[in-house]
Amino acid sequence: MNTATDSPLFALLRRTQRRLWCGRILSRLLRTAWWSAALLLGGGLVHVLRQPIPWPCIAALALLPLATAVLLGLWRDRPTLLDTAATADHWFDGKALMASALDQLRVSQRQRTCASRFVIEAANRSAPRWLERLEHEHRWRPPRHALIPVALGLAGIYFLLLPGPAPREDTAAIAASPSPAGTPRRDDTASDFVAGLREALHVARQ
């Protein structure tokens, strides 16, 4: 018979623990993504409406909450073996089988009763079947509203890549400079978009 830590029970617990840990980290990342999206969108709007901002600065600020969330998840969100056993019982309707077996494994072999050995053996017999189910079930899936911060962040990145507002004297010089007939001025589409956005915000303020 294998040692306790090499048993099917502990193989199930380790796999479930990793699955549960990754899910907690991803959930924390999703909550933090709203802050990153707000930084990107706010920085992009300031960039096109007020003054140019180097996009690496905003990108670094937006990545900071995500990196913090990952570090906090690695440090604080790791589930204990007892929580993992309770989660496995909940996922596969084990009726506290894995949690009970884990409690019995903490007792020395001399103090184990026949009932204790039966619970441990039952858990080891059930663990391979639960491992097979775990390969296809209970994977972390992002909710539908996860697309909202992603869309806001992409919009902020788009604004950051647009040309910022030029100084007034530069704007007048550009407007007065002639351009070859039939040749569209560079960044006309982006400039028209920014101008329309500024006009819409001006009308909304009034």
Side-chain angles (χ1 to χ4, degrees):
M1 185 177 178
N2 295 333
T3 60
T5 54
D6 294 333
S7 63
L9 167 61
F10 273 87
L12 172 67
L13 290 180
R14 285 192 293 267
R15 186 72 62 82
T16 306
Q17 186 182 49
R18 289 195 296 268
R19 180 73 58 83
L20 189 60
W21 196 5
C22 290
R24 290 180 178 181
I25 293 175
L26 291 174
S27 297
R28 183 184 288 272
L29 269 176
L30 179 59
R31 294 192 299 268
T32 313
W34 290 93
W35 293 97
S36 298
L39 286 171
L40 287 172
L41 185 60
L45 290 176
V46 171
H47 172 74
V48 298
L49 297 177
R50 293 294 183 181
Q51 60 183 359
I53 300 177
W55 68 264
C57 298
I58 301 299
L61 288 176
L63 288 176
L64 184 60
L66 299 178
T68 304
V70 172
L71 292 177
L72 286 176
L74 293 174
W75 177 40
R76 300 178 58 181
D77 290 343
R78 183 176 183 178
T80 63
L81 283 179
L82 187 59
D83 291 339
T84 303
T87 301
D89 288 326
H90 174 71
W91 283 353
F92 304 110
D93 196 18
K95 298 179 180 179
L97 175 61
M98 297 299 166
S100 300
L102 185 62
D103 287 336
Q104 298 304 322
L105 285 172
R106 296 177 178 177
V107 180
S108 62
Q109 292 186 0
R110 294 182 179 180
Q111 296 178 349
R112 292 176 189 170
T113 62
C114 293
S116 301
R117 297 188 182 94
F118 176 79
V119 170
I120 295 173
E121 291 177 0
N124 283 319
R125 288 194 302 269
S126 301
R129 298 195 303 270
W130 292 12
L131 273 171
E132 293 179 359
R133 293 178 57 185
L134 189 62
E135 292 294 331
H136 309 285
E137 300 178 11
H138 303 289
R139 296 181 180 273
W140 187 86
R141 291 180 175 83
R144 292 183 178 179
H145 68 265
L147 295 175
I148 299 177
V150 174
L152 294 177
L154 291 176
I157 292 173
Y158 174 74
F159 290 149
L160 286 171
L161 295 179
L162 292 176
R168 292 183 179 180
E169 56 273 11
D170 294 346
T171 304
I174 293 173
S177 63
S179 59
T183 302
R185 196 180 298 275
R186 186 179 179 182
D187 295 334
D188 276 349
T189 304
S191 301
D192 293 343
F193 175 80
V194 174
L197 181 61
R198 291 173 184 161
E199 184 178 356
L201 290 176
H202 180 71
V203 172
R205 289 174 184 175
Q206 295 178 348

